Amino acid sequence: MKLLKPSWVNHNGKPIFSVDIHPDGTKFATGGQGEDSGKVVIWNMAPVLREEDEKNENIPKLLCQMDNHLACVNCVRWSNNGLYLASGGDDKLVMVWKRAAFIGPSTVFGSSSKLANVEQWRCVMILRNHTGDVMDVAWSPHDVWLASCSVDNTIAIWNARKFPEIVMTLKGHTGLVKGLTWDPVGKYIASQADDHSLKVWRTMDWQLETNITKPFSECGGTTHVLRLSWSPDGQYLVSAHAMNNSGPTAQIIERDGWKTNMDFVGHRKAVTVVKFNPKIFKKKQKNGSTPKPSCPYCCCAVGSKDRSLSVWLTSLKRPLVVIHDLFDKSIMDITWTLNGLGLLVCSMDGTVAFLDFSQDELGDPLNEEEKNAIHQNIYGKSLAITMGSQLSSTIIENPEMLKYQQEQQRNQNPNGAQASGPENQTPKLTNVLNGESLEDIRKNLLKKQVETRTADGRRRITPLCIAQLDTGDFSPALFNSVPILPGSSASTQLIPQISSDSSTANSLGLRPSHDPTSTSPNKTAEDNKDSGTAAVNSIGMKSNLLLTSASKIEPMKALDSRFTERSKATLHDNRVKDSSSVKEPKGKDETSSDSEDKIVVKSMTKRKGEMEGAEVVEKRKKGRPRKDAKIMPISQPFPQVTFLLSTDASLLKLPTPSIQKSFSTQVSTDGVTYLEVENEVSVVSGSRLSQLKWSREGREWDTLLPSRIIIATGSSDVVAVACEDRTLSVFTACGRRLIPSIMLPAPMSALHCSGHFVMALTASATLSVWDVQKQTALVKNESLNPILSGTDATVSQSFLTRQGVAVVSLSNGKTYCFNSSLETWNLIADKQDSLVQCADFRNCVSSQDALGSMGPLALTQGRNLSAGRLASRLSSMPHHLQQGMTLAFLEKQLASALILLSASEYRHWLLIYARFLVNEGYELRLRELCQDLLGPVHKSSSSSWETTVLGLRKRDLLTEVLPVIGQNLRFQRLFTEYQDQLELLRLK
């Protein structure tokens, strides 16, 4: 062992409270007192290691001095990757430093011209949270978090990926917190304070794991610092300032059960600092001897107020070396070189000492593979969690959790590619786009500049708009067009509909798919069954877009789309609005040559100006009805009418369809059904008889009614007919009258059927819904006044879901449904809702989710939902604000699907909501959700818990939610808790 005290490392006689060697071993930092402020100094390590470099005047000793701290600096710590230096001081601040680009030597302010900064280090972040002196700072494994502790009795956990975001403030100490250390496995952080306690906190949920007080109960007096340390194998935690039989010790705490049976003894005064060597050693084999199996061991240095230093090996009962009176005052900090053979110690007397060990003295250090193998054997597989702000390295305690983590890794690396670190797993934005770095894209854009020459021979270069490629503001999903597997770091591309405006689609590198309405009738019927309405194919399906290969998209085109097509992607463009609305049917002459089946959608006509640019398509079966018959949609379209701004319901009036001599409608049921109406077929005793004819696949029936028919519609189960005399007749699919004619309070405005349900919207703006099979009224003459009064909006569309829920859309973009249980109108969609436009849940949608999103809720929202996500990508918004808006939007979607009784959509949004809660760390909401799905474990007569929701068993839903929770190790305790309870219930 060699001992050196370099006198040139000093703070001009002022105390040095902290020292830390850079991970690459080329420099070290000291922190302490300056002339009238705190001082951080970065020194060259070469003159310490080699005498010839110390004597060489051309080799600088001082690299940089920073005097930004307003008061004494208590701690300096390099990040594990060596890019940053963190310092904490009596000014209550934590400063994060980063090396700046070389701009030439600069003189230290207030010093002689001989003292120059060779390297430029600048403060890139000041972290303000503590209300007292900052005593210690510590970087977590993988530099995911930075922890700081203070005399304000708290520990702050900072998100090192998103400074200055605070992940958590740990409160529990009742005295000054003076030391921190991270578990190398990544599961715990330990703190020691003047309250005679050492606390271990879990990084998974930031809760207290254990509180150790026994070894410190006898401690009297205080020390300036209490720097504790964790062994590199994670098995032992060694504290400062403990007592055993009235003698000062460094307490050894075993990870297994947090037992305190061993300690390092021998120092005459309180231990101030403990530091483990980063290497794990094995006994050195002598030359020529046969290798003998030996247990790996660790090395630990202990410093004390008695001015002495001791170095221990865990394989020896006595210290390897003890150096007495090394300094004139107490030892303040210790740091090891990364190779494990060098040791720097600093003291309050303002000097440092360097100890240089040999491998013969310490042993052979294990390489990284052997070190990882030890971790593997002791703890099992260790993974890095990189979910948003909750990032850690932790071990897996549950075999089911391990299974889900491995599945997630396979999804992230489908070709077996290994992740190169936590950055690869995080869903945050990366600096690579379509395989190219953003800087490469910028250079390529410059190469593509267009040069022209004027008539006089001068060169002219066409300007290019080059985006500020800042990954903090824009998502690669805006430029990428390759579908990414779910769970991957770039899983931000959402397959469902984007606005079908052709210019917008082209600018994003998208091409429209074939018209899905040309599929077979059976396929169409199946789609309608899932959606709960006959109109589903007209909205959403027609705008499906196929994603092209990323290799076909030039980066400039993708970037241009952000600027040139911005206005086209907004939700306020009328053309985009109308492209998601229902198409107006063509006249009979235009449809006569069509030979394919086409679902005629229940809709109301649009304003003429709004219908411009909307393609009108009408296809129907060969063999049209009588020549004088006119094809019309199921719900008779009515013109735009502005309602009076009055709360008087009697003034509300909806338009009624005009009476026609004859017309025909096509009903979308299990088979293609036609309803043909011929009014005034004959006059008997002064009454005009009208004929209704029903036909499906060669079967037909007809009936006569004593008044002219205004509207006729039907479903697979019933046929409903509204007449001029305000009567409503309902027949079965075989033509049998189900109930006597219903007398309506006003003429019919719109009529819909779905299953056994019939919906009537009258001219006096009242709504009724009946279950004609059970002959009960679900909604009885409910006024539209609550949703129409105070606005100039009109009813633009209405329909009835398969579950009998009436839905009414207004021209102002709002869509309502009436809930018969609550007897209220509920807003389920709003095209101008900022939540829709700003919600960003792309990371929570899997490739299987597109199918589950079809239903009445998707029908009402149409393409507006996708356009909202597109708009959110084009705008910059603080993360916490967008996080809150996304949460509110998802909860609104879940509630809307529930009130629409849409089981498939409820399950769809439930899984997305669960993924979002897991990704963003909303533990309380996640626990409440799981508890509601699990229900009471023991049966109770007082329990009001329902076992199903919308026909779905809640515990089956919990079975689907648990694998989502299993993808984030932070929630493995919650995962295990509910999985175990679910297993117990299954065994009952």
Side-chain angles (χ1 to χ4, degrees), residues 234-510:
Q235 288 291 84
Y236 300 100
L237 173 63
V238 179
S239 78
H241 195 23
M243 297 289 282
N244 188 356
N245 292 329
S246 301
T249 66
Q251 183 65 49
I252 301 173
I253 301 163
E254 297 180 56
R255 187 192 192 97
D256 182 16
W258 310 111
K259 292 180 290 221
T260 56
N261 301 327
M262 300 179 290
D263 47 25
F264 292 129
V265 298
H267 285 282
R268 299 184 303 276
K269 291 185 179 179
V271 173
T272 55
V273 54
V274 178
K275 191 71 171 183
F276 267 98
N277 192 309
K279 292 290 186 182
I280 301 174
F281 294 92
K282 60 183 177 182
K283 201 164 185 179
K284 189 172 179 62
Q285 301 294 332
K286 295 181 180 179
N287 293 334
S289 64
T290 57
K292 296 180 180 179
S294 60
C295 293
Y297 54 88
C298 299
C299 175
C300 180
V302 180
S304 167
K305 286 180 73 173
D306 63 7
R307 302 172 291 133
S308 65
L309 175 78
S310 59
V311 180
W312 302 73
L313 299 180
T314 56
S315 60
L316 301 177
K317 294 183 179 180
R318 295 184 177 275
L320 178 69
V321 61
V322 178
I323 305 174
H324 293 287
D325 301 322
L326 184 59
F327 299 101
D328 294 333
K329 293 185 179 180
S330 170
I331 292 177
M332 288 285 101
D333 204 1
I334 301 171
T335 177
W336 290 88
T337 57
L338 202 60
N339 64 10
L341 299 178
L343 180 69
L344 257 178
V345 190
C346 72
S347 168
M348 194 180 282
D349 65 10
T351 63
V352 301
F354 180 70
L355 280 70
D356 189 15
F357 293 93
S358 67
Q359 288 192 6
D360 291 331
E361 294 165 325
L362 296 184
D364 290 330
L366 301 185
N367 57 36
E368 285 302 311
E369 288 77 11
E370 293 172 314
K371 188 175 175 181
N372 290 338
I374 290 178
H375 283 184
Q376 183 88 12
N377 291 335
I378 298 176
Y379 307 106
K381 194 158 186 173
S382 180
L383 298 175
I385 304 179
T386 53
M387 291 283 186
S389 62
Q390 302 296 334
L391 307 163
S392 80
S393 295
T394 186
I395 62 172
I396 296 177
E397 302 173 346
N398 187 301
E400 288 293 320
M401 178 72 77
L402 176 61
K403 181 181 75 174
Y404 294 129
Q405 287 288 324
Q406 290 172 338
E407 287 178 3
Q408 187 181 30
Q409 277 201 327
R410 282 196 293 270
N411 289 336
Q412 290 173 347
N413 299 300
N415 298 323
Q418 294 296 317
S420 59
E423 292 289 354
N424 287 44
Q425 298 175 357
T426 177
K428 297 302 169 190
L429 308 177
T430 61
N431 290 321
V432 178
L433 189 63
N434 288 345
E436 294 183 90
S437 71
L438 298 181
E439 192 59 36
D440 290 340
I441 293 177
R442 190 188 297 277
K443 292 176 181 178
N444 291 337
L445 297 181
L446 294 176
K447 292 177 184 178
K448 296 180 181 179
Q449 61 189 19
V450 180
E451 180 181 317
T452 58
R453 289 189 180 272
T454 60
D456 58 358
R458 295 182 181 180
R459 296 171 60 202
R460 290 289 182 267
I461 295 176
T462 303
L464 292 178
C465 182
I466 300 176
Q468 177 64 35
L469 300 175
D470 183 359
T471 56
D473 292 333
F474 301 105
S475 167
L478 179 59
F479 312 117
N480 281 332
S481 57
V482 177
I484 308 296
L485 286 176
S488 66
S489 62
S491 176
T492 51
Q493 187 70 38
L494 206 54
I495 304 284
Q497 314 85 287
I498 300 175
S499 168
S500 64
D501 186 303
S502 59
S503 58
T504 306
N506 291 338
S507 71
L508 292 175
L510 305 174

Side-chain angles (χ1 to χ4, degrees), residues 677-734:
V677 172
E678 186 169 357
N679 286 320
E680 302 181 16
V681 289
S682 64
V683 178
V684 177
S685 302
S687 67
R688 301 171 178 176
L689 294 179
S690 299
Q691 183 183 48
L692 171 70
K693 185 177 181 180
W694 179 96
S695 60
R696 183 202 309 181
E697 298 174 350
R699 295 182 294 124
E700 61 180 38
W701 54 264
D702 59 60
T703 187
L704 293 173
L705 294 167
S707 178
R708 289 190 294 179
I709 298 173
I710 301 176
I711 306 175
T713 186
S715 67
S716 56
D717 300 310
V718 297
V719 174
V721 180
C723 295
E724 186 182 19
D725 60 359
R726 294 192 289 119
T727 60
L728 174 65
S729 300
V730 183
F731 305 91
T732 67
C734 296

Side-chain angles (χ1 to χ4, degrees), residues 4 57 130 183 232 272 277 438 480 485 501 506 511 513 524 555 606 629 631 725 788 797 803 845 883 959 970:
L4 170 69
E57 294 184 356
H130 292 292
D183 163 25
T272 55
N277 192 309
L438 298 181
N480 281 332
L485 286 176
D501 186 303
N506 291 338
R511 55 186 176 86
S513 67
T524 302
K606 295 286 183 180
I631 298 293
D725 60 359
L788 291 173
Q797 184 185 0
Q803 289 74 29
V845 180
Q883 185 186 47
T959 306
R970 178 190 166 186

Side-chain angles (χ1 to χ4, degrees), residues 83 85 158 220 227 258 266 308 494 549 587 591 599 779 876 898 978:
L83 294 178
L85 175 68
W158 309 85
R227 305 198 197 276
W258 310 111
S308 65
L494 206 54
S549 169
T591 62
I599 299 172
V779 182
S876 175
L898 188 62
Y978 283 97

Side-chain angles (χ1 to χ4, degrees), residues 934-947 955:
L934 179 70
V937 179
H938 305 287
K939 292 182 180 180
S940 171
S941 58
S942 61
S943 174
S944 59
W945 182 75
E946 296 289 339
T947 58
R955 287 170 182 168

